[in-house]
Amino acid sequence: MKIKYERQLKNGKRHILVELLPDESIFSVDDDSFYRLEYPMEEQVFAGHILRDPQRVVWDTFEQKWLEG
């Protein structure tokens, strides 16, 4: 994801033009709201501020751990 353009409006809203890779999607998260994820984590609820800046990771089968992707 790459932000191409961002402008703050007088009413506090923002205009943002985002460029996505073919396999990427985008969703918005409100810091003051709560969200339930899909299976297998459907019983857990997360605050929006926790989901704000997710980091892409990849599984390294050799080292058996998650690496920044």
Side-chain angles (χ1 to χ4, degrees):
M1 179 179 86
K2 182 178 181 181
I3 296 177
K4 303 288 275 184
Y5 167 84
E6 184 171 1
R7 183 175 77 173
Q8 185 76 30
L9 303 178
K10 292 179 183 177
N11 62 5
K13 295 181 180 180
R14 297 177 293 157
H15 282 178
I16 302 174
L17 176 63
V18 179
E19 182 177 82
L20 300 173
L21 295 172
D23 61 338
E24 285 184 310
S25 63
I26 190 168
F27 67 93
S28 67
V29 176
D30 181 1
D31 284 348
D32 298 325
S33 295
F34 295 89
Y35 299 88
R36 178 175 288 132
L37 302 180
E38 297 292 326
Y39 178 84
M41 299 179 71
E42 72 275 3
E43 296 299 322
Q44 298 180 11
V45 174
F46 295 89
H49 71 275
I50 293 173
L51 302 172
R52 166 62 65 181
D53 293 314
Q55 181 182 26
R56 182 180 290 238
V57 294
V58 294
W59 180 251
D60 185 333
T61 55
F62 181 72
E63 292 188 44
Q64 293 292 300
K65 67 178 185 179
W66 291 105
L67 302 174
E68 290 183 28

